[in-house]
Amino acid sequence: MTADPLISFEHVSKTFQTARGTVEAVQDVSFEVAKGEFVTVVGPSGCGKSTLLNMTAGLFSPTAGTVRYAGQKVATLNQRSGYMTQNDHLLPWRDVEGNIRVPLEIAGLSKRDRTARVADLIQTVGLAGFEHAYPSQLSGGMKKRTALARLFAYDPETLLMDEPFAALDAQLRLKMQTELLGLCRRLKKTVLFVTHDLDEAAALGDRILVFSGRPGTIREVIKSPMMPDRDLYQLRRNPAFAQVTSDLWDILATTSGMEG
Amino acid sequence: MEVIGTSQAGAAAAAPGGAPSRPRAFPPALRQLMMQAALIGGLLVVWQLLSGRLISDFFISRPTAIFAVIVETTLDGSLLYHASITAMEALLGFIVGGALGILFGVALGWSKLLADLLNPLVLCFNSLPKVALAPLFILWFGIGLNMKVALSAATVFFLVFLNTYTGVRAVSQELIAILRLMGANRRHVLTKVVLPSALTWVFAGLRVSVPYALIGAVVGELFASNRGLGAMLSQAQGQFDTAGVFAALFAITVLSLLLNAVVKVAETKVMPWQSGDHQQNTTV
Ligand SMILES: Nc1ncnc2c1ncn2[C@@H]1O[C@H](COP(=O)(O)OP(=O)(O)OP(=O)(O)O)[C@@H](O)[C@H]1O
Ligand SMILES: [Mg+2]
């Protein structure tokens, strides 16, 4: 790792108290993410991936251990990170355009700048023609794309993304992945990206964290041998990519075999 | 909550449902309207037949007699005169009470400190039947328009206040967290999340208060007035004019329906994302 990582988890555990008893979501997790690094996270459902992102965003604190951001312990909401949650959390009373505009309004952009920027983002995520549809009138994938455009709109230093492309078709997903990777490289974004799609984890990640089942622990960290500026459209012909995905499959096959 | 809205909502929901199966003589919405009209017509006929035969028309008058009074008072302008006065009182009471209810609901919902402080007071005033304030309001405001407006506003206030308060409290904490992550301050959270999300509740409160606004005005007129539908009601009663009483009741009902329609129109204007929900088929 680098000398001063942007995000660092130090022996982090998180236990939830519920009416039916305690749930240990993650246990003794330690890892670091350097500035400008793209880290993907895979693991069985319920192993605490979303919990990791929530703690990085400062929504709640770990039960044990420390989460640091830029050297500081994350104590309140981490406003240097942008979070695209697993449930898109759009504002139901605003149409697509209005939802994408929220962060720009908060940032205090002039009306003219906002309009131009929103139109641009709507093009990027391919929602032209649906500017004035309300979330209740959108498909699952369209909601995701709106949330994605909103995330891009406010340009945070770090992107926390929880299965952002899960509801998209293959072509659109490839387009969005390319868009995201290009944008992150260009603007030197740091990304923590949760996905269930092993191909996606291998395609996007500079490093891939593989989690075991609940309580989630890091089972393996795979460093991608591919170039940072790889062309996602050519991956099928990239032997390094094939190697990473087959490693991932092997690890997860044994993981889920253990956890049932 | 939705007592008044149900028949319309039912009609709207029924419309897309049965359409494609097989063509019928009438569209379902029209069919329902015809059945409703038939039911009301039937009841009127039964009423007409009963009165004077089974039940003395001193007690229940008869539809034709009531209709005659309505026509007569409409022609000489007195019905419209009384109705306009009651409408004015109820509308002012509705606006004043509604505005204050929204204001206080947001303030107490937003500030936990204020809510804790005022909680006992709110409980006391809420358990008080608002029409019981009429004598006090006569002492304060006299027997003119102000007293009826005050009575109407007092009733509306609590309904709207409680609904708004609940709405502000029910706001999604997740949405607030998402906005705070974007750097939103308290004002942003209030205007972009809390208020829009409470609107549904505010309108639910406004809708249930419509009849209460009229209750306030009419009760005020019953207590002390020579103008308005309440006064018309008590004068008719004083002269044992049962048809006149029923005519006044009819006018009050029409006023309530009108005011209700106004609220509904405002609701779809102010909350277009909700009206969209109505047209769209149910999805999960
Ligand atoms: N707020 C909460 N209260 C109680 N338990 C919770 C809470 N959030 C998460 N959990 C529990 O913690 C565990 C991990 O949840 P988490 O959402 O992090 O899983 P995940 O890895 O994101 O799963 P998935 O891939 O299905 O999204 C689950 O067992 C869940 O029930
Ligand atoms: Mg999750």
Side-chain angles (χ1 to χ4, degrees):
Chain A
M1 273 321 89
T2 49
D4 47 346
L6 192 58
I7 306 170
S8 74
F9 276 66
E10 296 159 15
H11 305 288
V12 169
S13 300
K14 177 70 190 179
T15 319
F16 289 106
Q17 310 289 342
T18 65
R20 281 165 290 105
T22 58
V23 178
E24 191 156 20
V26 289
Q27 191 181 51
D28 195 23
V29 168
S30 300
F31 66 89
E32 296 180 337
V33 181
K35 182 151 177 45
E37 200 180 11
F38 200 125
V39 174
T40 52
V41 181
V42 291
S45 176
C47 74
K49 303 181 295 296
S50 300
T51 304
L52 290 182
L53 295 193
N54 286 337
M55 290 190 288
T56 314
L59 293 175
F60 49 70
S61 314
T63 319
T66 317
V67 181
R68 287 183 197 282
Y69 188 91
Q72 302 280 314
K73 185 171 169 175
V74 178
T76 53
L77 287 179
N78 176 1
Q79 297 191 336
R80 288 165 70 177
S81 71
Y83 191 178
M84 180 172 163
T85 52
Q86 196 165 2
N87 311 317
D88 26 68
H89 285 130
L90 299 172
L91 302 179
W93 43 85
R94 281 177 174 241
D95 57 14
V96 167
E97 211 173 74
N99 265 290
I100 300 174
R101 210 171 47 223
V102 172
L104 304 176
E105 288 172 4
I106 291 174
L109 257 70
S110 78
K111 195 164 180 208
R112 172 130 58 71
D113 292 350
R114 282 197 315 238
T115 317
R117 183 106 181 82
V118 168
D120 201 35
L121 286 161
I122 285 181
Q123 286 298 332
T124 307
V125 298
L127 280 174
F130 287 91
E131 290 88 348
H132 300 297
Y134 288 101
S136 62
Q137 301 163 327
L138 296 176
S139 75
M142 292 159 92
K143 284 186 217 166
K144 289 270 181 196
R145 282 183 276 158
T146 310
L148 190 67
R150 181 175 69 175
L151 180 67
F152 287 165
Y154 73 106
D155 199 31
E157 179 180 47
T158 297
L159 306 180
L160 307 173
M161 307 179 85
D162 203 340
E163 300 179 35
F165 305 144
L168 304 186
D169 60 86
Q171 290 107 305
L172 192 57
R173 183 181 311 166
L174 195 52
K175 177 172 175 278
M176 289 291 133
Q177 288 169 343
T178 308
E179 198 76 50
L180 175 67
L181 200 58
L183 188 121
C184 293
R185 296 301 183 213
R186 213 166 50 242
L187 304 174
K188 307 238 175 330
K189 300 278 183 208
T190 309
V191 189
L192 202 50
F193 185 106
V194 170
T195 176
H196 277 292
D197 180 343
L198 299 187
D199 284 356
E200 184 171 70
L204 294 175
D206 295 324
R207 275 188 306 143
I208 304 146
L209 307 183
V210 185
F211 275 75
S212 68
R214 188 157 34 87
T217 49
I218 295 184
R219 192 176 146 76
E220 191 104 30
V221 180
I222 297 179
K223 193 157 169 38
S224 174
M226 290 182 285
M227 302 303 291
D229 58 349
R230 54 188 167 263
D231 178 359
L232 296 183
Y233 285 89
Q234 301 299 327
L235 278 182
R236 305 280 148 224
R237 271 167 248 138
N238 189 334
F241 174 74
Q243 188 55 50
V244 175
T245 41
S246 74
D247 285 355
L248 278 176
W249 274 110
D250 290 344
I251 298 165
L252 277 170
T254 50
T255 304
S256 51
M258 266 167 27
E259 308 295 330
Chain B
M1 287 281 169
E2 257 281 290
V3 185
I4 296 157
T6 39
S7 69
Q8 288 98 314
S21 55
R22 78 193 134 88
R24 290 207 187 90
F26 299 106
L30 185 61
R31 238 160 43 98
Q32 180 173 350
L33 208 67
M34 283 162 51
M35 275 157 64
Q36 286 170 341
L39 178 70
I40 291 173
L43 284 176
L44 287 177
V45 169
V46 171
W47 183 357
Q48 180 78 23
L49 292 178
L50 279 183
S51 71
R53 293 189 173 82
L54 269 179
I55 307 172
S56 159
D57 59 358
F58 175 79
F59 295 117
I60 63 168
S61 185
R62 63 182 70 214
T64 46
I66 298 165
F67 185 70
V69 174
I70 292 172
V71 169
E72 185 198 321
T73 50
T74 306
L75 289 181
D76 71 12
S78 62
L79 187 65
L80 210 63
Y81 169 73
H82 289 300
S84 68
I85 283 168
T86 306
M88 174 66 93
E89 293 160 355
L91 199 66
L92 283 176
F94 187 73
I95 292 170
V96 171
L100 287 176
I102 294 172
L103 207 68
F104 275 75
V106 169
L108 266 69
W110 188 235
S111 156
K112 179 142 171 42
L113 194 77
L114 213 56
D116 291 342
L117 187 69
L118 296 182
N119 187 35
L121 269 179
V122 170
L123 271 181
C124 287
F125 279 118
N126 189 37
S127 53
L128 191 74
K130 258 45 98 200
V131 291
L133 292 172
L136 193 62
F137 284 174
I138 291 176
L139 289 177
W140 288 355
F141 302 111
I143 58 166
L145 176 90
N146 290 352
M147 167 246 167
K148 286 100 187 178
V149 172
L151 201 56
S152 171
T155 325
V156 171
F157 169 80
F158 272 95
L159 290 169
V160 176
F161 164 75
L162 287 176
N163 264 282
T164 307
Y165 176 80
T166 314
V168 170
R169 278 301 160 96
V171 59
S172 153
Q173 292 303 315
E174 294 169 351
L175 284 184
I176 292 182
I178 293 286
L179 251 78
R180 301 255 293 115
L181 273 175
M182 295 177 191
N185 56 29
R186 268 173 76 83
R187 185 175 54 85
H188 290 137
V189 170
L190 184 68
T191 54
K192 294 182 201 309
V193 184
V194 176
L195 294 184
S197 110
L199 262 186
T200 322
W201 291 79
V202 170
F203 270 101
L206 288 176
R207 251 185 291 121
V208 287
S209 355
V210 165
Y212 291 93
L214 276 159
I215 291 177
V218 170
V219 169
E221 289 165 355
L222 285 175
F223 261 92
S225 188
N226 46 18
R227 306 182 305 172
L229 292 173
M232 193 178 157
L233 204 58
S234 73
Q235 275 158 24
Q237 179 244 323
Q239 296 160 8
F240 302 107
D241 172 11
T242 318
V245 169
F246 274 108
L249 290 178
F250 175 77
I252 292 169
T253 310
V254 171
L255 264 190
S256 180
L257 291 177
L258 277 179
L259 194 51
N260 203 51
V262 170
V263 173
K264 265 220 137 68
V265 169
E267 191 170 355
T268 42
K269 276 271 179 308
V270 176
M271 302 195 296
W273 65 93
Q274 288 276 339
S275 53
D277 282 358
H278 262 283
Q279 288 149 21
Q280 134 198 328
N281 298 318
T282 305
T283 49
V284 285

